[in-house]
């Protein structure tokens, strides 16, 4: 059965135009003015904005971490994503140290296959480097994994500078790319010890104090110099602050290729959240890197406008408040991460449009087109055009609602954006032509498919 979405405004990265949209099965058949198709079901979307389904290239579903497991698995995380207009997630497959990449990949397929309502791909985490891991890389590309993740912090996952250098070179020759978590591990650990020794170990504020912006910028700078030596492109994931952006600008002036991701929590919140005297109210915002100052958030918006930051992902890594409670006596035991996959589109749209931070096209680029290009899914995903997957977000710019944790599909049970009034709202979501969300409710099933991705084309 064909579907004809009539009367909407098609949002693209470079233009918005009034046009009808004809869907045949899983694909978009045509986009144009006054389309007609007698056998199609006609859906009136007049007054609505039609975005290409949002891609969230940074989620952690069903992840064992911090002596617990994330609240959302691929089922609840997928529903939560869909409701927020996200039709594709790219999650991080994570072998444990000493395991093969194949083991990690098989485990992530087990977690995800047949269990989720949105399409999904995997990045592969490289938390060890040796000949045997290098020998697995070609098989990873064959499996549709073209992007990798490395950590400059977290003992369970971090690898040394030499390993990062070797891995970047090995990825480059295969046309792959790595996203890197940049924070200085050693100095942060020393500061944590100092804070604990001075009796501040139970204070949530010790979290941002132990991980200041400049220790993120130091790691960004070091990574970029390693990438210079390796002559390889890199992605800086979850970038939070101006000092890091300065390091990125310097590397670009040297001629390096650097892609930058940020997240809604760094764009729409500030570090005041950590100063709430109530433990639970403050602990819910603990994530790494931490939420920064308002000036940093301004710098990120400016960089988005200038195209210096390409993507907005969530780093969705959800924990219930009971899990956050594990750190009541020791802030380093608060599981780090925020839920966000359900609210990203509406929060970004609202701040972008209400405060003139970013154009509609800019929102489309950051949420859909750029992640699709960067992670090898374009033009199947990330654009409303004939031949592309019929992943469509029907966004009602006339709607408005207030975000409440109790209403979320995420199992976290809270939202970092509690009380946030949205401008507009996700009304319907189609994934490959199937209605997955209607009137803000998830109505579809576990139709999500694994996506084999191509190479970076941004
Ligand atoms: Mn992450």
């Amino acid at each position: 059965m064909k579907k004809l979405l009539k009367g909407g405004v098609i949002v693209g990265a470079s233009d918005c135009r009034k046009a009808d949209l004809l869907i045949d099965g899983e694909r978009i058949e045509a986009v144009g003015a006054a389309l007609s198709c007698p056998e199609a079901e006609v859906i009136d979307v007049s007054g609505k904005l039609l975005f290409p389904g949002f891609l969230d290239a940074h989620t952690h579903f069903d992840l064992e971490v911090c002596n617990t497991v994330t609240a959302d698995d691929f089922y609840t995380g997928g529903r939560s994503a869909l409701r927020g207009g996200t039709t594709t997630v790219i999650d991080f497959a994570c072998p444990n140290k000493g395991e093969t990449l194949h083991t990690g990949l098989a485990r992530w397929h087990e977690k995800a296959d047949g269990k989720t309502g949105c399409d999904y791909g995997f990045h592969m985490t490289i938390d060890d480097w040796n000949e045997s891991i290098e020998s697995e890389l070609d098989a990873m590309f064959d499996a549709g994994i073209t992007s990798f993740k490395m950590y400059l912090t977290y003992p369970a996952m971090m690898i040394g500078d030499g390993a990062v250098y070797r891995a970047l070179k090995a990825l480059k020759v295969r046309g792959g790319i790595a996203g890197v978590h940049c924070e200085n591990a050693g100095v942060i650990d020393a500061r944590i010890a100092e804070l604990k020794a001075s009796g501040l170990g139970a204070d949530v504020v010790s979290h941002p104090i132990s991980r200041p912006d400049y220790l993120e910028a130091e790691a960004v700078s070091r990574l970029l110099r390693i990438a210079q030596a390796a002559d390889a492109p890199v992605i800086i994931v979850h970038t939070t602050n101006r000092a890091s952006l300065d390091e990125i600008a310097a590397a670009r002036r040297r001629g390096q290729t650097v892609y930058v991701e940020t997240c809604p929590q760094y764009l729409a919140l500030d570090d005041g959240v950590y100063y709430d005297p109530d433990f639970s109210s403050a602990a819910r915002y603990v994530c790494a890197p931490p939420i920064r100052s308002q000036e940093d958030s301004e710098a990120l918006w400016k960089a988005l406008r200038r195209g210096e930051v390409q993507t907005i992902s969530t780093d969705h890594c959800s924990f219930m408040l009971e899990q956050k409670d594990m750190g009541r006596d020791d802030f380093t035991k608060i599981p780090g991460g925020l839920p966000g996959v359900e609210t990203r589109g509406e929060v970004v749209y609202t701040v972008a449009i209400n405060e003139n931070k970013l154009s509609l096209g800019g929102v489309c680029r950051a949420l859909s087109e750029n992640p699709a290009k960067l992670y090898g899914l374009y033009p199947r995903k990330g654009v409303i055009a004939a031949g592309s997957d019929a992943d469509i977000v029907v966004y009602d710019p006339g709607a408005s609602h207030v975000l409440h944790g109790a209403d979320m599909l995420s199992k976290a049970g809270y939202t970092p954006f509690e009380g946030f009034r949205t401008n507009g709202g996700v009304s319907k979501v189609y994934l490959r032509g199937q209605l997955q969300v209607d009137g803000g409710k998830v109505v579809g099933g576990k139709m999500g498919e694994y996506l084999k991705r191509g190479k970076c084309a941004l």
Side-chain angles (χ1 to χ4, degrees), residues 58 60 149 238 315:
H58 195 147
H60 300 282
K149 174 79 175 282
H238 50 49
D315 199 4

Side-chain angles (χ1 to χ4, degrees), residues 82-105:
L82 279 172
R83 196 208 229 173
T86 292
T87 46
T88 297
V89 299
I90 310 179
D91 203 86
F92 292 86
C94 248
N96 295 316
K97 274 204 185 198
E99 288 181 346
T100 65
L101 304 184
H102 281 89
T103 305
L105 178 57

Side-chain angles (χ1 to χ4, degrees), residues 58-60 92 149 151 181 237-238 261 288 315-317:
H58 195 147
T59 66
H60 300 282
F92 292 86
K149 174 79 175 282
Y151 293 83
H181 179 132
V237 296
H238 50 49
E261 170 196 90
D315 199 4
H316 182 100
C317 187

Side-chain angles (χ1 to χ4, degrees), residues 119-358:
D119 282 354
Y120 58 96
F122 302 132
H123 312 280
M124 178 55 63
T125 306
I126 294 177
D127 54 15
D128 229 338
W129 188 253
N130 50 51
E131 273 176 27
S132 142
I133 285 180
E134 184 168 0
S135 74
E136 291 188 87
L137 287 182
D138 290 328
M140 292 298 119
F141 283 87
D142 290 344
I145 293 172
T146 52
S147 53
F148 295 76
K149 174 79 175 282
M150 294 187 279
Y151 293 83
L152 298 182
T153 185
Y154 299 140
M157 289 175 289
M158 66 184 280
I159 56 177
D161 293 350
V164 172
Y165 169 78
R166 290 191 182 93
L168 287 177
K169 286 184 85 160
L171 294 177
K172 190 199 170 178
V173 297
R174 293 167 172 86
I177 193 163
V180 182
H181 179 132
C182 295
E183 285 185 291
N184 179 300
V187 182
I188 288 171
D189 282 348
R191 285 168 72 88
I192 288 171
E194 285 170 1
L195 286 158
K196 286 184 173 177
S198 53
L200 295 170
D203 197 336
V204 177
V205 180
S206 293
H207 173 72
I209 291 173
S210 65
R211 323 178 79 93
D213 59 338
Y214 51 85
L215 290 182
E216 177 184 328
E218 182 280 330
V220 168
S221 163
R222 181 160 36 99
L223 169 73
L224 291 172
R225 289 299 187 177
I226 296 169
Q228 181 181 18
D231 191 22
V234 279
I235 304 164
I236 314 289
V237 296
H238 50 49
T239 306
T240 70
N241 67 81
R242 183 200 308 262
S244 296
L245 291 172
D246 288 346
E247 298 296 343
I248 291 158
R252 286 182 176 143
R253 284 196 297 272
R254 294 194 293 267
Q256 292 182 240
T257 300
V258 189
Y259 302 102
V260 182
E261 170 196 90
T262 189
C263 312
Q265 56 269 32
Y266 307 121
L267 293 166
L269 299 173
D270 67 62
D271 51 7
V273 296
Y274 296 119
Y275 289 83
D276 194 309
D278 176 59
F279 171 83
S280 184
S281 300
R284 68 186 64 192
Y285 294 99
V286 166
C287 57
I291 293 161
R292 307 293 188 190
S293 70
Q294 218 156 27
E295 291 71 34
D296 287 316
S297 134
E298 289 298 330
L300 291 168
W301 280 112
K302 190 173 170 190
L304 275 161
R305 280 193 296 279
R306 293 174 163 188
E308 295 160 3
V309 170
Q310 286 77 33
T311 67
I312 304 173
S313 311
T314 61
D315 199 4
H316 182 100
C317 187
S318 59
F319 298 100
M320 295 177 282
L321 296 179
E322 299 90 290
Q323 292 174 292
K324 293 276 184 182
D325 252 3
M326 291 170 13
R328 206 168 261 280
D329 301 318
D330 177 352
F331 77 92
T332 62
K333 296 202 164 60
I334 302 169
L338 307 181
V341 86
E342 196 161 339
T343 50
R344 178 182 60 140
E346 292 178 349
V347 166
V348 168
Y349 177 94
T350 299
V351 182
I353 302 306
N354 284 4
E355 301 177 29
N356 257 318
K357 301 284 196 201
L358 196 61

